[in-house]
Amino acid sequence: MGELLPLLLEGAWVTIQVTVFGSLLAVVAAVIAALGRLSPWPAVRWLAISYIELFRGTSLLVQLFWLYFVLPLPPFNLEMSAYSVAIIGLGLHIGAYGAEVMRGAIGSVPKGQYEAALALNMTPFTRFRRIILPQALLCAIPPGTNLLIELLKNTSLVSLITLSDLTFRARQLDQATFETLKIFVLTLVLYFVMAQIIVFLMRRLERWLGHGRIRGGL
């Protein structure tokens, strides 16, 4: 057990990094795509819808293979490391699902809040940053938590593009030691612990945003 855990923790550290940076990209992509879907300009709406439907409607594994194996070929000639592909692929994939969550969350903000912000002569950016976004994020946190856990679990696919994540290390150790039960029990526990950390942090964020809403009288 003592020999297995250090190598699994090395893989878990890679998984954590991919999850964190992929989650940040997913949040940014979700907000931008949600705003694009709500845009009054047809071209922007079309781009947002195309992104959402493309990444929701195709396999994540195929997307990772495209980014890692296809893009380096002509006519693209765009080569990225497995680490970058993992973050970009997972972030854009989960961001496409998150865009619909954010769109619904933005739509759930009461119209009275928009009217109050207009009455205070706020610019559109200030209105979005100070009034709409905090309330939308509060509504988006429960389904968003599920998406972040899904992103964590999907990191197991990046082992297929040679990234030494937790799943890659587990398979590597299994082939070397044949201690299958111990290895995959430990792997299961590590994934579970990471998922619970995400739940804990998102609940703290939800509580913080909820207190801010009460203080602000929103």
Side-chain angles (χ1 to χ4, degrees):
M1 186 76 73
E3 297 174 356
L4 302 175
L5 191 57
L7 284 174
L8 288 175
L9 289 176
E10 284 183 19
W13 175 236
V14 174
T15 294
I16 290 168
Q17 292 178 64
V18 171
T19 301
V20 170
F21 292 119
S23 298
L24 293 174
L25 176 58
V27 170
V28 172
V31 172
I32 292 173
L35 292 176
R37 288 279 278 115
L38 298 170
S39 172
W41 298 298
V44 175
R45 283 202 309 273
W46 181 85
L47 284 172
I49 291 170
S50 298
Y51 156 67
I52 292 168
E53 296 305 327
L54 175 65
F55 280 88
R56 286 198 313 174
T58 56
S59 163
L60 172 58
L61 182 57
V62 174
Q63 292 166 20
L64 291 172
F65 282 173
W66 253 87
L67 291 170
Y68 191 67
F69 296 114
V70 177
L71 287 187
L73 302 175
F76 307 107
N77 297 313
L78 179 59
E79 189 168 352
M80 293 183 287
S81 67
Y83 185 79
S84 299
V85 166
I87 292 169
I88 293 170
L90 287 165
L92 293 179
H93 182 81
I94 297 299
Y97 288 91
E100 291 300 280
V101 171
M102 279 303 302
R103 183 168 69 95
I106 291 170
S108 71
V109 177
K111 291 186 177 179
Q113 300 292 330
Y114 292 87
E115 294 167 358
L118 286 171
L120 292 171
N121 201 29
M122 288 185 179
T123 64
F125 177 75
T126 302
R127 185 167 66 243
F128 178 76
R129 181 176 62 85
R130 297 188 60 184
I131 305 298
I132 299 168
L133 184 60
Q135 295 182 78
L137 286 175
L138 185 59
C139 294
I141 282 176
T145 301
N146 292 334
L147 289 178
L148 294 184
I149 292 173
E150 190 68 23
L151 189 152
L152 167 66
K153 293 189 294 184
N154 284 340
T155 58
S156 61
L157 295 176
V158 305
S159 63
L160 299 175
I161 57 170
T162 72
L163 191 64
S164 300
D165 72 317
L166 177 55
T167 299
F168 183 92
R169 290 294 188 187
R171 292 169 61 193
Q172 198 176 47
L173 283 169
D174 182 42
Q175 291 170 2
T177 66
F178 299 103
E179 295 190 58
T180 304
L181 179 61
K182 288 182 182 178
I183 290 166
F184 286 103
V185 165
L186 282 171
T187 303
L188 193 70
V189 169
L190 288 171
Y191 274 115
F192 179 77
V193 169
M194 289 186 283
Q196 294 312 301
I197 290 172
I198 290 174
V199 171
F200 172 77
L201 293 175
M202 295 300 284
R203 284 178 178 167
R204 290 294 297 270
L205 177 61
E206 184 177 19
R207 194 174 300 119
W208 179 72
L209 287 173
H211 288 329
R213 182 174 180 175
I214 293 169
R215 287 197 302 270
L218 299 176

